């Protein structure tokens, strides 16, 4: 009912932290991940904080996928201005690959959304329910509100990291 929609809306509002500033565009979706290619295996060994994210279940090739990296601090999770890295790449139906860079080894969280209309905002309807797909590292699934940060954390421990995040679409 209405209370569930309001709870969901409050979680969706937290996702607005994604759209606080424009981001520099990579020359290609894999530009930030060059260290992960076979041709640059040595570079990968020197840059263990590279995170390659495969975004799954992208429903179309419209707009952008925006991904944001957060620290393991619950006080800054999904907060405006608290991101450690962000990238926007062109969406590709099915799977979209992108990369982020963490400042050091440690525990982190990735949150992302499919900005289908390319307006660099996480769009919601009049109830605050997301009209664009979203997802988190560790794929915590659907929640009324944002997931707990502990459900989304992963560890970087000296090797390049690969994540798979499945996008959840609530509408359309």
């Amino acid at each position: 009912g209405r209370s569930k929609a309001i709870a969901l809306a409050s979680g969706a509002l937290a996702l607005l932290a994604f759209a606080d500033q424009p981001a520099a565009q990579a020359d290609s979706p894999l530009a930030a991940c060059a260290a992960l290619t076979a041709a640059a295996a040595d570079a990968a060994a020197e840059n263990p904080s590279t995170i390659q994210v495969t975004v799954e279940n992208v429903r179309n090739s419209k707009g952008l996928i925006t991904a944001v990296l957060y620290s393991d601090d619950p006080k800054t999770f999904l907060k405006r201005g608290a991101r450690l890295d962000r990238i926007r790449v062109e969406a590709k139906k099915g799977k979209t690959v992108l990369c982020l860079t963490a400042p050091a080894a440690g525990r982190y969280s990735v949150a992302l959304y499919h900005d289908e209309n390319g307006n660099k905002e996480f769009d919601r309807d009049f109830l605050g329910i997301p009209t664009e797909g979203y997802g988190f590292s560790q794929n915590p699934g659907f929640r009324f509100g944002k997931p707990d940060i502990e459900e989304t954390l992963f560890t970087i421990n000296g090797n390049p990291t690969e994540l798979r995040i499945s996008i959840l679409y609530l509408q359309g």
Side-chain angles (χ1 to χ4, degrees):
R2 182 165 163 71
S3 64
K4 288 181 182 178
I6 290 170
L8 179 60
S10 69
L13 289 174
L15 292 174
L16 288 174
F18 290 142
D20 62 341
Q21 298 175 20
Q25 295 291 316
D27 291 336
S28 74
L30 295 176
C33 285
L36 292 177
T37 65
D42 291 339
E46 294 171 20
N47 187 10
S49 56
T50 300
I51 306 159
Q52 178 176 301
V53 181
T54 301
V55 184
E56 300 177 328
N57 299 320
V58 180
R59 71 177 170 192
N60 59 50
S61 295
K62 296 178 185 173
L64 305 167
I65 301 291
T66 299
V68 182
L69 180 69
Y70 292 97
S71 75
D72 62 352
D73 183 353
K75 293 176 186 168
T76 61
F77 183 51
L78 300 178
K79 300 291 188 212
R80 184 177 300 273
R83 70 174 186 259
L84 300 175
D85 194 17
R86 176 183 61 199
I87 189 168
R88 290 187 173 115
V89 299
E90 290 182 16
K92 290 186 176 55
K93 184 177 180 177
K95 281 193 228 179
T96 301
V97 178
L98 56 88
C99 288
L100 295 161
T101 302
R107 295 189 331 149
Y108 298 93
S109 178
V110 172
L112 57 81
Y113 69 100
H114 183 184
D115 183 12
E116 290 181 271
N117 61 7
N119 68 352
K120 299 181 183 174
E121 294 181 9
F122 183 64
D123 295 326
R124 300 163 288 123
D125 68 12
F126 70 98
L127 292 174
I129 297 171
T131 59
E132 296 180 310
Y134 65 91
F136 296 92
S137 47
Q138 307 298 5
N139 296 299
F142 177 77
R143 299 283 185 279
F144 287 110
K146 68 180 183 176
D148 185 87
I149 190 170
E150 289 295 324
E151 297 177 280
T152 69
L153 290 173
F154 62 95
T155 301
I156 294 177
N157 58 11
N159 295 309
T161 302
E162 293 184 39
L163 299 177
R164 292 186 172 277
I165 299 178
S166 184
I167 287 194
L168 177 63
Y169 295 91
L170 300 180
Q171 298 185 11

